[in-house]
Amino acid sequence: MKKQKTNEILLPLAVSAVLALGGLALWLFPVPRFSPSENRMLAARPDFSWQSLWQGDYTAAWESYTAERLTVRDTLRATHAMCELALGKGECGGVMLGSDKSLAARPQVNEKITKRNLAGIAAISTAAYQKNVPFLVGIVPYRAEARRAVFPASYSATPTSSLCAALSSNGMAVTSFEGITNDNAWFRTDHHWTPQGAYAAYCMLAPLLGFEPYGEDTFEKIDVSCHFFGTGARAAGLPQITPDTITLWRFTGDDGYCLYKDGKAADFMGLYDLQKLDTCDEYAVFLGGNDGLLTVKQAGEDDRPTLLLWRDSYAAALIPFLSRHYQIIAVDPRYYRGDTATLLASADKALLLAGAVTLSQSAFLNK
């Protein structure tokens, strides 16, 4: 009986001590606002006001701050991820762990956003038809779709096929890259394809756009990073994940290409911004990251045909291949606020290339 009473006293004291020490550590030593492992800003310490307290915003903000800025955040994330796997869930943070130890996000389709994006593509198709510009749509599948064999048998969604069917039923020319299934075509910790996968897509687009693709032997493959952790690794928080290698496919003269970002010359020459390899966003080595309006030209006079490209980040690894055949005007609708109808007037061909994840989850074509 006495031992039981002692335990009843010690347990609350121990819990109180842990909470007090955690609160003190959070107050004195919060983790930095920017998280390199997640490549995002964490919650800021909330400012007090009686109105925010009354409305509940202040306490909610403190809850987010406490959860995200705790001193041992990375250790807790890793522990939580391992517990999720130990419970047999097969995923953590919405990211599935494949039998080959690769990672992929479980597709989440927002029907309302998807309909808006499909309507936006239809509007672009109509505008291209009116300008007499050939228009093609290319949809990149979720990594989990392309590498279905290594992910849980319970996964069976096919959002890419549904998107293609919806567009084809409206008479649009659509191609899907679901056949690009090789492991080396996809980063193992990220949702993007590798240059190997982008090259496969380039060859698939060749007969549809009407160009002769360059052979693989005309490129020099150069490893520029062996420590790339992509979006899957950041979201999952799993420890001991093997990083990816970034291999650039270089060709003679690619360092002389000129890039213009939102009307201004890029601060690097060529198709690759090697400075990005020293940041937590190494994927931005391709073209220097996302921009509202990107123009890619050969140095000097460039009288080649112009390809107008609506794109998301999947096109970053593909554009270097297409740039051997076209001047490229690439528009990312998430950041571009200009009128694309005027851009169509100067285009010889038009292509919309985006991931199924973009079309089914983000306001890609919200205008």
Side-chain angles (χ1 to χ4, degrees):
M1 179 68 76
K2 184 176 181 180
K3 184 177 180 181
Q4 182 178 354
K5 288 184 177 180
T6 302
N7 290 339
E8 289 176 354
I9 296 173
L10 289 178
L11 182 59
L13 287 176
V15 172
S16 299
V18 170
L19 291 175
L21 288 173
L24 185 63
L26 176 65
W27 185 265
L28 297 176
F29 310 107
V31 297
R33 179 90 192 278
F34 180 75
S35 170
S37 63
E38 299 172 74
N39 193 28
R40 71 180 182 93
M41 299 297 290
L42 302 178
R45 181 179 293 180
D47 296 323
F48 176 80
S49 72
W50 289 109
Q51 182 179 3
S52 64
L53 179 63
W54 176 258
Q55 295 176 342
D57 296 336
Y58 183 71
T59 52
W62 258 108
E63 184 178 344
S64 297
Y65 177 76
T66 302
E68 295 197 353
R69 302 291 294 281
L70 198 60
T71 307
V72 290
R73 173 178 173 75
D74 286 343
T75 301
L76 292 175
R77 288 187 72 230
T79 303
H80 175 263
M82 294 300 293
C83 289
E84 292 281 280
L85 294 181
L87 291 172
K89 292 186 176 181
E91 65 179 87
C92 45
V95 177
M96 297 183 288
L97 178 65
S99 59
D100 62 348
K101 305 304 180 184
S102 66
L103 301 169
R106 180 179 289 276
Q108 302 291 332
V109 177
N110 183 309
E111 296 294 343
K112 186 176 181 180
I113 286 177
T114 301
K115 288 180 180 179
R116 286 181 179 177
N117 285 327
L118 291 175
I121 296 175
I124 292 173
S125 177
T126 299
Y129 177 80
Q130 291 173 347
K131 297 284 186 180
N132 199 30
V133 177
F135 177 63
L136 173 68
V137 178
I139 300 179
V140 186
Y142 283 87
R143 188 185 192 281
E145 290 181 286
R147 298 286 296 148
R148 189 187 309 276
V150 302
F151 290 107
S154 59
Y155 171 70
S156 60
T158 55
T160 302
S161 298
S162 299
L163 288 166
C164 290
L167 293 169
S168 297
S169 65
N170 286 329
M172 280 178 266
V174 184
T175 187
S176 164
F177 303 104
E178 292 175 279
I180 302 176
T181 59
N182 291 337
D183 179 51
N184 59 5
W186 298 87
F187 287 114
R188 297 168 64 80
T189 69
D190 194 65
H191 62 288
H192 293 106
W193 49 23
T194 63
Q196 180 79 54
Y199 177 76
Y202 159 76
C203 292
M204 291 175 66
L205 288 170
L208 303 174
L209 290 175
F211 63 82
E212 185 67 29
Y214 284 88
E216 189 171 335
D217 58 355
T218 66
F219 298 90
E220 181 183 5
K221 302 173 185 178
I222 303 174
D223 293 342
V224 293
S225 173
C226 58
H227 45 68
F228 170 54
F229 289 100
T231 53
R234 293 172 189 154
L238 282 166
Q240 300 179 336
I241 290 295
T242 303
D244 277 302
T245 296
I246 297 179
T247 304
L248 302 183
W249 288 37
R250 306 296 301 270
F251 58 88
T252 303
D254 68 355
D255 54 354
Y257 276 66
C258 300
L259 271 61
Y260 298 89
K261 294 169 169 281
D262 297 316
K264 298 180 180 179
D267 59 2
F268 60 94
M269 285 297 295
L271 301 169
Y272 304 103
D273 185 357
L274 300 178
Q275 299 177 76
K276 297 297 185 183
L277 297 172
D278 297 323
T279 71
C280 57
D281 186 16
E282 292 186 63
Y283 183 76
V285 66
F286 299 102
L287 309 175
N290 297 324
D291 300 279
L293 181 65
L294 174 71
T295 304
V296 183
K297 294 184 177 182
Q298 289 179 336
E301 288 293 325
D302 192 346
D303 57 358
R304 297 175 304 159
T306 297
L307 175 67
L308 178 57
L309 174 64
W310 283 266
R311 61 103 170 195
D312 63 4
S313 56
Y314 282 95
L318 177 64
I319 286 176
F321 296 105
L322 295 175
S323 68
R324 298 190 77 173
H325 305 272
Y326 303 102
Q327 300 180 64
I328 295 177
I329 301 174
V331 176
D332 190 329
R334 296 170 296 181
Y335 311 111
Y336 184 65
R337 295 296 175 262
D339 181 13
T340 54
T342 58
L343 299 177
L344 266 171
S346 61
D348 297 289
K349 297 177 182 179
L351 167 68
L352 186 144
L353 187 135
V357 60
T358 303
L359 297 177
S360 60
Q361 293 185 28
S362 69
F364 182 59
L365 295 166
N366 58 1
K367 292 194 297 182

